[in-house]
Amino acid sequence: MQSIRNIAIIAHVDHGKTTLVDKIIDQCKVFDDRVERTELLLDNNDLERERGITILSKNVSVTYNGVKINVIDTPGHADFGGEVERVLKMADGVLLLVDAFEGAMPQTRFVLGKALELGLKPIVVVNKVDKDNCTPDLVQESIFDLMFSLDATEDQLNFPTIYGSAKNGWMSTDHKKPTENIIPLLDAIIETIPEAPYQEGTPQMQITSLDFSKFVGRIAIGRIFRGDLEENKDYTICKQGGVKKKIRIKELYVFEGMGKVRVQKARSGDICAIVGIEDFEIGDTIADLTNPEELTRIAIDEPTMSMLFTINTSPFFGKEGKFVTSRHLRDRLYLELEKNLAMRVEETSSEDKFIVFGRGVLHLSVLIETMRREGYELQVGKPQVLYKEIDGKKHEPYETLVVDVPEEFASKAIDLVTQRKGDMLVMEPKGDLQHLEFDIPSRGLIGLRNNMLTATAGNAVMTHRFREFGPYKGDIPERNKGSLISMEAGPSTAFAINRLQDRGRFFIEPGDVIYKGQVVGEHTRDNDLEVNLVKGKQLTNMRKSGSDEAVKIAPKVKFSLEEAMEFIQADEYLEVTPLSLRMRKIK
């Protein structure tokens, strides 16, 4: 029987874990030399490639010296925390990847805490040791202190450390002695990570992840904890609330390289994918037909934010998208629920309005961005934070916010966060940056990124992670400026925009076609103002000196999808089409 090692990779956003997996794949010759290949193989979704973040956890399997290594890539971003905890259930050890300059970030701290609780054995990989001003030794010490503070056992604290540069393709036990390849890391995995045990007895497998295919529907993925699973055999599925149903495994797959291979039988300790089970949930146990024993269920992170999704009703509806009706929108949102576990959809009294619950602005914006790329047109309302009643008192979600900012901007950053009811927990220098940590209500984060980047001249790096529900903290100041609203429809003129420049900043440029009720800019004052941007210059055959000076117009303000979602007010919609983002007043 082949020896198996199951390892999950933990790292913060952009510390290089997907690059490292690429190098492991290369080293183990998963691909034929004749196959042309791309970078960042695991980030195979367009959005993941553009943003440089991992959104969905994925599995890869390589064979090194006759040992099968299942590598599970996890997302590092807070809004996808629902993915990480489940994934750790499949592993026997973790590869903790940290940047040699930045060290352990709070995100990493959260996931590492979960891994240590589950008793997983860590290997620390200090990556990017070729960076300027990096301090690999200090980072290694800080990781030791972090593990100690997280109550790691003596065995876990006795972890090996590997230094290297995944980008340049080398790993070594000493950062001053670069090697030619990443073999020291693979050797450390085989020596340190315990072998996946083969446990005899009746079969038990917990569904910890799922995949979706247009051809076969939902695919259950998980690790077999005990016994073997076989194709075309009957089993029992143990669902929530003690419900048990008889099921049959139609097809059984194990992971090999970047794909899956169909097998007749899979052993305990391996990770497999099952086709043919209808109506399963994450956390369900597949067990013996006659004597089913259920494993402890996994809790999935609850949503912390909601947004209203509705069909596009603007005067420009249907001009740019293929899917515009409420039926299209409903079908697409329910399809998302098949694979996006931290998301919920609730119907309203109106046929064409849906409330979508998610883990944060980024989680919801990834769904909206995916939909617009698929050709959908829709409108969304302002993100709302979810409140809970605990012991008769109103509670709201709190997050841990981390801001790394140059020293000269630190006071501005602190001021901005404290205005939004944030409490500072940590302030320490890190190189030439100040590292700030705050405890802040999730409401305070909506619209904060924009203000923070303006106040720090674009130098702030912000990350946040849901912590828990806590007592309601009172009112938080919202956007204090009104909107400029178009009172006419048609192409905007340079003459009209120029005349109104002292009234605020514009989101459009001359020649853009606008409609009545569209939010075309931000007013300098706190009230809304209707403006006519279609009006042209009064033409006469008389010439006056000085009336034909060159028009100087400030460039328009461009919003990303998240910035636009955070900018709109409660009485405004964001209209999202495959080509445009427009804001409008709700009639």
Side-chain angles (χ1 to χ4, degrees), residues 129-389:
V129 296
D130 49 342
K131 253 189 177 179
D132 295 340
N133 304 330
C134 67
T135 52
D137 295 334
L138 291 175
V139 166
Q140 200 264 354
E141 281 173 34
S142 70
I143 296 288
F144 183 87
D145 295 342
L146 171 64
M147 286 203 197
F148 187 76
S149 67
L150 289 170
D151 297 332
T153 62
E154 206 159 308
D155 181 45
Q156 287 171 329
L157 285 173
N158 188 18
F159 58 85
T161 307
I162 306 283
Y163 301 90
S165 163
K167 191 176 173 191
N168 297 329
W170 66 269
M171 290 284 153
S172 168
T173 47
D174 183 348
H175 63 90
K176 297 183 184 109
K177 297 179 187 163
T179 59
E180 299 294 309
N181 51 39
I182 61 159
I183 283 176
L185 172 63
L186 294 169
D187 288 340
I189 290 172
I190 287 178
E191 284 163 29
T192 313
I193 305 291
E195 183 178 348
Y198 179 79
Q199 294 183 341
E200 294 191 8
T202 55
Q204 267 189 325
M205 171 192 148
Q206 188 158 40
I207 301 171
T208 45
S209 188
L210 58 84
D211 204 350
F212 184 79
S213 151
K214 283 186 269 198
F215 308 109
V216 295
R218 296 170 86 195
I219 302 169
I221 298 173
R223 175 177 170 169
I224 306 172
F225 282 96
R226 195 172 69 195
D228 298 326
L229 289 183
E230 292 180 46
E231 221 176 63
N232 294 320
K233 243 182 119 174
D234 291 337
Y235 294 93
T236 303
I237 185 163
C238 307
K239 300 173 69 64
Q240 204 155 4
V243 180
K244 294 183 168 60
K245 277 170 70 178
K246 180 179 160 184
I247 52 156
R248 170 164 280 215
I249 295 178
K250 288 182 185 162
E251 294 174 18
L252 185 64
Y253 294 86
V254 294
F255 291 89
E256 195 169 293
M258 295 286 293
K260 304 186 192 84
V261 180
R262 191 166 173 179
V263 290
Q264 284 297 312
K265 188 174 178 179
R267 54 156 279 196
S268 76
D270 207 348
I271 295 169
C272 68
I274 299 173
V275 171
I277 311 175
E278 293 299 319
D279 185 34
F280 64 83
E281 307 265 319
I282 294 295
D284 290 355
T285 306
I286 293 174
D288 191 47
L289 185 63
T290 50
N291 182 21
E293 290 176 50
E294 192 171 356
L295 289 158
T296 323
R297 287 193 77 81
I298 308 166
I300 293 177
D301 287 356
E302 306 174 31
T304 56
M305 273 192 188
S306 70
M307 276 179 93
L308 178 73
F309 278 52
T310 177
I311 56 171
N312 188 6
T313 53
S314 85
F316 289 176
F317 85 96
K319 287 189 176 181
E320 296 170 356
K322 284 191 292 194
F323 307 114
V324 294
T325 66
S326 57
R327 181 177 62 83
H328 286 136
L329 181 61
R330 171 198 300 271
D331 291 352
R332 179 64 183 83
L333 289 176
Y334 280 106
L335 178 69
E336 188 66 23
L337 293 182
E338 294 283 344
K339 53 183 186 292
N340 199 333
L341 302 157
M343 204 163 262
R344 308 263 180 284
V345 175
E346 204 174 88
E347 301 204 11
T348 62
S349 52
S350 166
E351 282 288 293
D352 52 14
K353 289 190 169 81
F354 302 90
I355 295 174
V356 179
F357 300 89
R359 292 277 308 141
V361 173
L362 181 70
H363 189 202
L364 291 163
S365 78
V366 165
L367 168 64
I368 297 169
E369 182 64 45
T370 310
M371 285 174 68
R372 72 184 281 213
R373 289 177 184 217
E374 291 169 5
Y376 286 83
E377 264 190 34
L378 64 149
Q379 292 182 138
V380 295
K382 185 179 173 64
Q384 306 286 342
V385 164
L386 300 182
Y387 299 107
K388 259 186 176 180
E389 190 132 321

